[in-house]
Amino acid sequence: MPKTAAPLYEQIRQLIVAALAAGEWRPGDALPSEAALAQRFGASPGTVRRALDELAAEHLVERRQGSGTFVSTHSAPRQQFRFLRLVADDDAGGFTRELLGCRRLRAIAAVARALDIRTSEPVIEVRRMLHRRGRPVVLEEMWLPERHFEGLSADVITAHAGTLYALFEARFGVHMVRAEEKLRAVAATAEAAALLQVAPGEPLLSVERLAFTYGDRPVELRRGLYYTSSDHYRNELN
Amino acid sequence: MPKTAAPLYEQIRQLIVAALAAGEWRPGDALPSEAALAQRFGASPGTVRRALDELAAEHLVERRQGSGTFVSTHSAPRQQFRFLRLVADDDAGGFTRELLGCRRLRAIAAVARALDIRTSEPVIEVRRMLHRRGRPVVLEEMWLPERHFEGLSADVITAHAGTLYALFEARFGVHMVRAEEKLRAVAATAEAAALLQVAPGEPLLSVERLAFTYGDRPVELRRGLYYTSSDHYRNELN
DNA sequence: CAGTGGTCTAGACCACCAT
DNA sequence: TGGTGGTCTAGACCACTGC
């Protein structure tokens, strides 16, 4: 227990997050105006504004002067690369996606622990590759708790044009808010080498990601292998 | 040119950064109070507060309720790991430093370009290793423009107990504000393998960093090779 | 033009810190 | 106890958007 109650703007921030988690406003929707929210929460406009500014800093909402405050969506072009830090050294070209597989299975202990579910609870495993200029660059697999992604299948993925996170959001109402990644250098296994068209033992960048939705609930575990001969993982330290 | 002038709080923010760059207040020093700064810049306290809040978000200053606003310093324990993202898988132990070399040379084109200096301008090259539990984990070399690090030598580094950035700040007045990193997986060269006590060809995480001081001026280029068998590079995506 | 967020001000009161 | 930053309020005015 904190000694004193959280400040009002923080309480309001949490109430708005709860409303987002409950789906009161969907990604892309406009939130009520500052004045309307101030009314609703019984606070002054300045206090509501502070809460909204914090949410904007976390990329949960997006503010547009003259038009309103909107729930962030992975469909927006600006969000396209928020979770993909691999860029070409010469900064050229985007990726094309190739689905390798999508199947239902039971979570092994490590996956269950990360996703905070019970071991052997059903999860959906997706495997895919990303290509740049026709060359495979990324091989990744991910595990998603089935209870949040009921009906996810190869067909559903193939039928969708945008990013996976845009699909998850549009189809399952699961919006990714933030992620934690662990990076290491590993040697390509025979299988990975064949898929990525490199020699076995070739150094690859391993990226293990745990992604969270509203309320810091983990909903995706992902492991990527990046071939970094002419691409690199870009990071900013602040 | 922006259509309209920058907002007042942004102008004040820039004036404070300029004062920090000029050394008007040194790392660890207290800034004048909000009221005093408001007086000085002819703005209301709320506007100055906004400027200070932005600076705090960038880690340029640190606010302590009841005592004041202070210039951030790399000597502070909390800043110790801001620029070192490598952590042990089991989260245990810190690093010990071993200096391999420190010499003066002339910048090659690639280094000069990154540091925004002229080719063949003098730079200081530092090479070192980091060990955890007696095992070498990081091999890195860095290049610093001599004009900002006059008198840096092996003796100066060895005599210093804390991090390099704390030394740079205390001795040369160069405070690192932010950095950009490019990560890739590479194979250990014979030389790197020998120093890191791994087999040649072993996958290593290559981390190339460009660090900036006040006013976004690049002052350090660094290249690290991380042995990531029981350590990983931790990252947060927001 | 009406409605939205963005800036700037002014002031009250509180929590915390040093002394 | 005096000074600091932290919270909260109230309101004026501006800039931008969309109709």
Side-chain angles (χ1 to χ4, degrees), chain A residues 136-174:
Chain A
V137 177
V138 173
L139 168 63
E140 59 186 2
E141 45 196 348
M142 64 204 83
W143 298 273
L144 308 153
E146 190 185 42
R147 69 159 178 275
H148 289 121
F149 296 88
E150 203 87 41
L152 179 59
S153 67
D155 289 345
V156 168
I157 294 174
T158 314
H160 183 263
T163 66
L164 273 182
Y165 284 177
L167 169 65
F168 294 168
E169 171 188 297
R171 170 102 187 204
F172 306 100
V174 179

Side-chain angles (χ1 to χ4, degrees), chain B residues 97-113:
Chain B
R97 292 175 276 264
E98 178 193 3
L99 183 63
L100 298 180
C102 177
R103 62 190 178 127
R104 181 179 182 280
L105 43 76
R106 303 206 161 262
I108 62 171
V111 171
R113 196 176 323 112

Side-chain angles (χ1 to χ4, degrees), chain A residues 2 8 12 18 21 29 35 53 76 84 89 92 102 111 144 148 154 178 181 205 222 226 233 236:
Chain A
L8 187 50
I12 293 174
D29 286 359
D53 283 344
L84 179 56
D89 293 340
C102 176
V111 170
L144 308 153
H148 289 121
R178 68 173 197 94
E181 292 191 332
L205 181 60
R222 186 186 285 222
Y226 298 0
Y233 182 104
E236 285 262 331

